[in-house]
Amino acid sequence: MKQKRSLLLFLIVSTCLIASPKKAIIFGVTGQDGSYLAEFLLEQNYEVHGIRRRTSSSNMQRLSHLTKNERFFIHHGDVSDISNIAFLIKEINPDEIYNLAAQSNVQVSFDTAEYTANINALGTLRILEAILKSGNAKAIRFYQASSSEMFGKAQEGPQSEQSHFHPRSPYGVAKLYAHWITKNYRESYNMFACSGILFNHESPLRGKNFVTRKITRAVAKIHLGEDKILSLGNMDVRRDWGYAKDYVKAMWLTLQQDAPDDYVIATGESHSVREFVEQAFQEVGISIQWEGTGVDEVGRNATTGKIIVAIDPKYFRPAEIATTHGDAAKAKRVLCWKNTTSFKELVAIMVHADIQNIQNKTDKKEVIQ
Ligand code: NAP
Ligand code: GDD
């Protein structure tokens, strides 16, 4: 009898669990991380509500493989519109909210400083306010996409959660506001609000105007005879580059803890843009020979002698971050998170994906900034 009752209880509990998956909202679902995070959460059996802003041409390319999933829903929305955000949160009643929405290009932020602040800084405030006033603030867990750009002109390396902030771009400054307002709402209202301070993370879904993807696309095109030269800005800057698929897992882990907190996510290794270029060309069997200095520097195909890399000063930034180098010890200890992809593997994944994209004609033509 007792056994039958426990079996019945077990069946009721498991049916309830199956019947009501956790619900997550992703602001910025159409971006690189949004796509990988949506995929990951669906694999964890979540009901995923992605917020897509209205654009004149489609921004759904990164989600085409998910749109048939019956637990995946797309809503129109924009983090510049608080009534829209408040409505979505009330309607969906999520367990978790991930704010990945941003004007995420550092160089563009120098030209659109006010817009970048509105979306990246105030956008975060609007979501926090909407959660606070939703009547369900204690039940909703919030993740903010903070950035290593906040460390900027770092005084120490590698940078951890304790490091000093000195952002070097309107993007970095806006992200710092978002980071602090997230912390402030956690401390003021006891909200489960966290930030992941993520260092650069890349993938075949990376926007085409970020340096890694710009390089891997150009290498693929040069290899296939569709392009001749890759033009870049400062090649001596160093970045701590990881794989986006590894990093979205850290976002989720951050919201599964007993207490809200902030975490640095990084590989702990730093490489220069120049090394990235060399490694990417190595993947297609080309060695580079460097010649000249400053804006006159060129990279030649060591076998043919042809110039395949050149410098264009238009890619230099008004202020630059020479090196980023992260210390993810806390995330490793508390979240049990680990980076699983080496620099060499990351470059290989991206170069071969771009070769395939070009061969299959799935690489749409786009002006590179
Ligand atoms: P991404 O590919 O540029 O994606 C940004 C997303 O934000 C896109 O879905 C974009 O929509 C959306 N968005 C832009 N303005 C919006 C608005 N007003 N309202 C709603 N959505 C808006 O960037 P990502 O690389 O995936 O990065 C995700 C987040 O992490 C960003 O906040 C970024 O700043 C931050 N981050 C990224 C890195 C990195 O290395 N990737 C490192 C640290 C932090 P559209 O598709 O319509 O443009
Ligand atoms: N984009 C670009 N294009 N960058 C170039 C180029 C070029 O032709 N040539 C050199 N670089 C240098 C930039 O000056 C910068 O120092 C470095 O390459 C990396 O540039 P991006 O790939 O544009 O990324 P980011 O580091 O500025 O910003 C990315 O990472 C941040 C995390 O630290 C973005 O994803 C941000 O949203 C993110 O927060």
Side-chain angles (χ1 to χ4, degrees):
M1 185 65 182
K2 215 172 170 188
Q3 255 181 341
K4 264 193 184 165
R5 219 180 283 151
S6 347
L7 184 66
L8 193 65
L9 194 65
F10 171 78
L11 283 174
I12 292 170
V13 170
S14 29
T15 314
C16 283
L17 283 177
I18 292 166
S20 55
K22 270 193 182 178
K23 284 194 256 181
I25 292 182
I26 304 177
F27 288 96
V29 74
T30 55
Q32 169 190 257
D33 292 3
S35 170
Y36 285 122
L37 180 64
E39 195 175 297
F40 176 81
L41 293 177
L42 288 167
E43 281 163 15
Q44 310 306 309
N45 205 39
Y46 276 62
E47 182 176 303
V48 177
H49 294 262
I51 311 305
R52 162 200 189 189
R53 65 178 173 155
R54 193 265 159 188
T55 45
S56 65
S57 48
S58 177
N59 54 4
M60 292 289 288
Q61 296 88 335
R62 294 183 177 106
L63 298 172
S64 52
H65 61 304
L66 301 179
T67 47
K68 288 210 168 70
N69 190 310
E70 57 197 19
R71 279 180 286 106
F72 186 56
F73 301 88
I74 285 285
H75 311 261
H76 273 109
D78 198 298
V79 297
S80 62
D81 181 347
I82 192 159
S83 64
N84 162 260
I85 299 169
F87 173 79
L88 288 167
I89 292 176
K90 264 240 171 327
E91 275 290 296
I92 297 165
N93 190 23
D95 301 282
E96 296 169 10
I97 296 180
Y98 296 84
N99 179 27
L100 314 181
Q103 190 301 90
S104 72
N105 190 302
V106 174
Q107 183 151 17
V108 170
S109 79
F110 286 99
D111 300 328
T112 61
E114 182 189 337
Y115 173 77
T116 302
N118 187 21
I119 303 309
N120 299 11
L122 296 183
T124 306
L125 174 64
R126 290 184 190 105
I127 299 173
L128 286 165
E129 268 297 295
I131 296 173
L132 185 65
K133 309 276 163 64
S134 68
N136 206 18
K138 293 278 175 286
I140 299 175
R141 297 185 169 205
F142 175 73
Y143 174 89
Q144 166 59 19
S146 285
S147 163
S148 52
E149 276 288 312
M150 301 186 312
F151 295 122
K153 198 173 178 183
Q155 287 159 10
E156 75 223 24
Q159 293 106 42
S160 72
E161 296 78 5
Q162 263 70 54
S163 299
H164 178 77
F165 294 124
H166 184 150
R168 296 275 282 168
S169 62
Y171 168 87
V173 175
K175 281 284 178 184
L176 193 50
Y177 174 89
H179 183 75
W180 279 111
I181 202 70
T182 300
K183 212 177 174 89
N184 179 259
Y185 272 52
R186 176 165 85 217
E187 291 172 358
S188 306
Y189 307 114
N190 206 16
M191 283 168 63
F192 200 106
C194 314
S195 290
I197 309 176
L198 272 54
F199 282 63
N200 297 47
H201 46 280
E202 320 293 315
S203 75
L205 299 186
R206 185 57 144 154
K208 292 168 185 169
N209 48 19
F210 295 95
V211 77
T212 54
R213 186 78 199 288
K214 180 174 168 182
I215 295 168
T216 59
R217 275 183 90 223
V219 167
K221 286 186 172 188
I222 291 168
H223 170 65
L224 296 171
E226 290 197 10
D227 209 345
K228 290 194 169 71
I229 289 194
L230 162 64
S231 293
L232 289 170
N234 189 336
M235 283 194 296
D236 294 316
V237 290
R238 303 179 70 84
R239 289 288 180 273
D240 183 326
W241 278 300
Y243 185 29
K245 253 191 168 181
D246 286 336
Y247 283 41
V248 297
K249 190 169 177 201
M251 298 177 183
W252 175 74
L253 285 169
T254 298
L255 296 195
Q256 311 313 309
Q257 304 308 305
D258 291 339
D261 208 344
D262 305 327
Y263 300 92
V264 161
I265 304 297
T267 68
E269 257 185 47
S270 213
H271 297 269
S272 67
V273 171
R274 188 186 300 279
E275 282 174 73
F276 198 105
V277 171
E278 289 168 352
Q279 189 57 45
F281 274 110
Q282 276 299 328
E283 279 302 317
V284 294
I286 297 175
S287 297
I288 305 260
Q289 215 160 37
W290 300 105
E291 253 177 52
T293 54
V295 292
D296 297 322
E297 185 172 11
V298 292
R300 289 183 191 276
N301 179 327
T303 311
T304 64
K306 281 189 186 153
I307 293 177
I308 49 176
V309 187
I311 303 295
D312 187 333
K314 83 172 176 204
Y315 300 117
F316 292 157
R317 295 177 181 181
E320 185 56 273
I321 299 176
T323 303
T324 68
H325 183 196
D327 172 3
K330 180 176 165 188
K332 284 181 192 155
R333 195 179 65 250
V334 181
L335 305 180
C336 298
W337 175 81
K338 61 175 191 282
N339 173 56
T340 67
T341 316
S342 71
F343 173 71
K344 211 169 162 226
E345 285 164 344
L346 173 66
V347 178
I349 290 169
M350 292 180 68
V351 169
H352 294 292
D354 273 323
I355 292 176
Q356 211 160 40
N357 275 334
I358 292 163
Q359 284 174 331
N360 298 343
K361 304 209 182 309
T362 44
D363 178 86
K364 289 230 177 71
K365 258 206 159 185
E366 198 175 281
V367 178
I368 293 181
Q369 230 166 338

